[in-house]
């Protein structure tokens, strides 16, 4: 769960990176960073990183110091390595052949094995982040061309990686051979832009050129754009993360050549078809449940109403009352609208249930605001397995759907009924084509990359 951005040869490179990161803020709120360089002094990389939100980290004076016409940036949500400032990206190093900067989205499955191998060979690490491994592998690669060094380094890693790299003569964008995480290519005038999602291109008024293909590396230099394949895994199957479409990406983005909003709307329609409810209203859990609720209302013919309002001013820290005020955490974020709910049988649509604690609080809140019946509908299948490819999910034991059956989950949550989209319905809604083009491991346990390492990890957790 991170976002990456890069721009090559633009007079306001760092400012545009700042805006791009702002548009990608939903992909990570723990830290952000920008690295910038100029053609005149291409061995000097200026970097600024910070904890928190993009708008709080970068001020006008800070951005002025990040001068130069080339820049990459990163927003981070830690899924590996903890949330301290030392893990904020992009990372920069002085390698033998010049400076390197890297921003990474995804998780490397064989991180621990690679790290202990490197440590045995004398490597010293300053972070717990799996991205630092990539820098070590890059620094050790011997090929004269940077693209070949990137390919050689990546041949050793298993897992999910969308990368933006900057070296002294260009920027590089890479998607792993399965294409777990998104990456798009855009153009702003003559400048090339790389971004996790198209919403970043829209904000800076760049046009979408195309999606970077799974297993593709694009190298952008003074000579223009050059594309090549990471040939090390010719058998890799395309496995875009379906949860990006379910929850993670922004609805106004287009990723994996699909509109995120359309995919969510279609999920709501499939849900209404598979799990109708005898009810008076459809209400969304804002914001994540809104597009699917619209789809549910569309197909079911039930009226759509805002029965829950979301506050957009919930800070990171707040003072909890010592005397128990029940459901306090959720109350800060969501408020029920009594006039909509009173005496009504409502269908509540949300995108997913992870631990079940949020849904339980929402159902209690709706009942106390007068809802006569609460039918919970979830626009994805039950989350029963953890993700090893970059989505933050707890261990299997903490996933409510892995512990309890449908009735047990419904009882815990306190709803009158509960239903999820089926796995087949999910693939239908995202217009998956045969053979399977999406990773659905969090719903099925069918991992396709680093399977042996994942098996070992899961056994270790159970032991
Ligand atoms: P819970 O069941 O209480 O653990 O939380 C479920 C809620 O968290 C759902 O409303 C989702 O919108 C949201 N959610 C799902 N996956 C994630 C994730 N990986 N990180 C943060 N929030 C998530």
């Amino acid at each position: 769960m991170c976002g990456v951005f890069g721009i090559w040869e633009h007079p306001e490179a760092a400012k545009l990176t700042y805006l791009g990161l702002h548009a990608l803020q939903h992909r990570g709120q723990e830290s952000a960073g920008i690295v910038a360089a100029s053609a005149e002094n291409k061995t000097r990389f200026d970097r600024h990183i910070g904890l928190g939100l993009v708008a709080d980290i970068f001020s006008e004076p800070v951005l002025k110091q990040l001068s130069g016409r080339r820049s990459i940036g990163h927003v981070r949500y830690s899924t590996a390595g903890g949330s301290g400032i030392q893990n904020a990206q992009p990372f920069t190093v002085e390698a033998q052949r010049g400076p390197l900067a890297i921003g990474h989205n995804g998780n490397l499955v064989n991180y621990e094995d690679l790290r202990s191998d490197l440590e045995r060979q004398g490597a010293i690490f300053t972070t717990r982040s799996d991205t630092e491994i990539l820098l070590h592998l890059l620094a050790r690669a011997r090929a004269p061309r940077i693209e070949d060094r990137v390919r050689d380094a990546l041949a050793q890693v298993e897992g999910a990686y969308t990368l933006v790299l900057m070296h002294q003569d260009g920027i590089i964008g890479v998607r792993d051979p399965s294409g777990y995480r998104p990456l798009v290519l855009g153009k702003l005038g003559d400048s090339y832009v790389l971004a996790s999602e198209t919403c970043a291109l829209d904000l800076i008024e760049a046009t979408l050129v195309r999606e970077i293909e799974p297993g593709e590396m694009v190298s952008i230099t003074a000579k223009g754009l050059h594309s090549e394949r990471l040939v090390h895994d010719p058998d890799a199957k395309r496995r875009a993360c379906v949860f990006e479409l379910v929850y993670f990406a922004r609805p106004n983005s287009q990723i994996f050549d699909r509109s995120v909003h359309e995919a969510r709307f279609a999920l709501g329609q499939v849900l209404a078809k598979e799990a109708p409810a005898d009810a008076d209203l459809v209400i969304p859990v804002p914001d994540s449940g809104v597009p699917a609720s619209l789809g549910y209302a569309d197909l079911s013919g039930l009226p759509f109403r805002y029965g829950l309002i979301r506050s957009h001013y919930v800070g990171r820290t707040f003072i909890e009352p010592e005397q128990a005020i029940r459901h306090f955490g959720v109350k800060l974020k969501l408020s029920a609208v009594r006039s909509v709910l009173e005496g009504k049988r409502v269908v509540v649509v949300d995108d997913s249930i992870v631990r079940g604690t949020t849904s339980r609080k929402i159902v209690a809140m709706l009942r106390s605001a007068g809802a006569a019946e609460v039918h919970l509908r979830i626009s994805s299948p039950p989350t029963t397995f953890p993700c090893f490819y970059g989505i933050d999910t707890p261990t299997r034991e903490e996933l409510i759907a892995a512990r309890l059956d449908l009735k047990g989950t419904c009882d815990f949550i306190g709803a009158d009924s509960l239903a999820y989209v089926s796995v087949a319905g999910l693939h239908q809604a995202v217009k998956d084509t045969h053979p399977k083009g999406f990773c659905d491991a969090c719903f099925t346990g069918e991992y396709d990359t680093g399977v042996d390492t994942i098996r070992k990890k899961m056994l270790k957790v159970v032991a």
Side-chain angles (χ1 to χ4, degrees):
M1 290 170 87
C2 291
V4 293
F5 186 91
I7 184 159
W8 175 252
E9 285 303 327
H10 192 284
E12 293 194 280
K15 268 200 178 155
L16 293 172
T17 303
Y18 162 79
L19 289 173
L21 295 183
H22 189 77
L24 297 172
Q25 185 77 81
H26 60 285
R27 299 187 68 86
Q29 301 91 42
E30 278 180 7
S31 68
I34 297 178
V35 176
S38 66
E40 296 72 43
N41 192 356
K42 58 188 190 177
T43 56
R44 186 178 131 192
F45 280 14
D46 292 317
R47 173 180 185 246
H48 185 81
I49 52 164
L51 290 177
L53 300 178
V54 175
D56 299 328
I57 296 168
F58 297 98
S59 60
E60 192 79 43
V62 164
L63 286 170
K64 265 213 179 90
Q65 282 167 16
L66 296 170
S67 59
R69 297 168 60 91
R70 26 187 91 169
S71 169
I72 65 168
H74 188 266
V75 283
R76 178 158 197 270
Y77 180 117
S78 65
T79 49
S83 55
I85 187 76
Q86 71 280 9
N87 290 316
Q89 298 188 26
F91 289 157
T92 45
V93 281
E94 283 298 329
Q96 199 188 8
R97 293 166 200 260
L100 269 182
I102 188 169
H104 171 206
N105 173 210
N107 264 17
L108 305 183
V109 174
N110 61 340
Y111 160 72
E112 282 100 352
D113 293 346
L114 286 170
R115 182 171 173 134
S116 26
D117 281 354
L118 286 163
E119 280 176 335
R120 262 197 299 276
Q121 294 166 40
I124 294 168
F125 288 85
T126 55
T127 73
R128 296 297 312 169
S129 157
D130 54 350
T131 311
E132 199 180 359
I133 297 275
L134 294 173
L135 284 174
H136 278 276
L137 296 176
L138 273 169
R140 274 153 201 258
R142 286 285 149 259
R145 286 173 73 237
I146 176 78
E147 294 83 0
D148 293 329
R149 293 202 292 282
V150 171
R151 182 185 294 107
D152 291 348
L154 293 177
Q156 299 172 61
V157 308
E158 288 175 338
Y161 49 85
T162 277
L163 304 173
V164 289
L165 287 128
M166 186 160 72
H167 56 102
Q168 57 183 13
D169 297 310
I171 60 172
I172 289 177
V174 187
R175 259 177 100 197
D176 66 71
S178 303
Y180 284 102
R181 304 280 144 234
L183 185 65
V184 293
L185 175 71
K187 249 190 143 180
L188 179 62
D190 291 331
S191 314
Y192 280 108
V193 184
L194 293 165
S196 291
E197 298 180 28
T198 58
C199 61
L201 303 183
D202 293 341
L203 184 63
I204 63 165
E205 297 183 344
T207 49
L208 171 66
V209 176
R210 62 179 176 84
E211 181 189 37
I212 304 298
E213 290 294 314
E216 182 183 6
M217 162 164 46
V218 291
S219 174
I220 302 162
T221 64
K223 288 189 211 141
L225 181 135
H226 166 77
S227 161
E228 39 190 280
R229 311 291 307 173
L230 301 173
V231 286
H232 64 271
D233 198 356
D235 300 330
K237 305 162 199 142
R238 189 186 174 106
R239 288 289 183 266
C241 166
V242 78
F243 202 66
E244 292 265 358
L245 290 175
V246 167
Y247 167 76
F248 196 44
R250 262 183 78 96
N252 56 315
S253 282
Q254 194 180 317
I255 57 164
F256 310 139
D257 286 332
R258 285 155 173 80
S259 150
V260 176
H261 181 273
E262 292 309 312
R264 290 184 192 164
F265 190 89
L267 279 165
Q269 290 179 314
V270 169
L271 186 59
K273 202 160 153 203
E274 291 185 344
D278 199 6
D280 305 311
L281 302 174
V282 179
I283 68 163
V285 176
D287 292 327
S288 56
V290 174
S293 319
L294 287 165
Y296 195 102
D298 180 73
L299 198 115
S300 65
L302 293 173
F304 173 92
R305 294 285 183 274
Y306 266 112
L308 287 166
I309 305 296
R310 178 174 171 171
S311 163
H312 292 273
Y313 309 103
V314 184
R316 313 209 108 222
T317 50
F318 54 86
I319 299 150
E320 287 221 38
E322 303 223 345
Q323 294 296 320
I325 296 180
R326 273 160 31 89
H327 321 307
F328 192 74
V330 163
K331 273 186 184 158
L332 277 179
K333 194 166 154 190
L334 295 173
S335 320
V337 186
R338 180 170 287 277
S339 61
V340 170
L341 299 165
E342 195 126 58
K344 294 291 194 304
R345 300 167 303 159
V346 297
V347 177
V348 193
V349 181
D350 202 358
D351 66 284
S352 58
I353 298 178
V354 182
R355 293 181 176 85
T357 47
T358 309
S359 308
R360 182 185 166 107
K361 289 173 183 172
I362 288 171
V363 170
M365 186 186 273
L366 295 170
R367 288 202 197 282
S368 72
E373 289 175 22
V374 180
H375 301 278
L376 185 60
R377 295 292 178 270
I378 303 297
S379 62
S380 62
T383 303
T384 40
F385 288 87
C387 178
F388 293 94
Y389 307 128
I391 296 287
D392 184 31
T393 29
T395 60
R396 244 201 124 199
E397 293 62 46
E398 292 169 88
L399 295 170
I400 189 165
R403 287 192 292 112
L404 302 174
D405 62 8
L406 189 68
K407 171 147 192 337
T409 309
C410 186
D411 290 347
F412 173 82
I413 284 167
D416 292 285
S417 75
L418 167 67
Y420 297 83
V421 162
S422 67
V423 172
L426 170 76
H427 286 276
Q428 179 202 331
V430 300
K431 296 196 170 64
D432 197 0
T433 44
H434 190 75
K436 194 176 92 173
F438 283 93
C439 173
D440 58 8
C442 50
F443 307 124
T444 60
E446 288 166 19
Y447 301 101
D448 285 299
T449 303
V451 181
D452 292 339
T453 318
I454 288 174
R455 204 167 289 140
K456 272 191 264 164
K457 280 183 200 229
M458 301 223 343
L459 284 174
K460 224 191 275 174
V461 171
V462 173

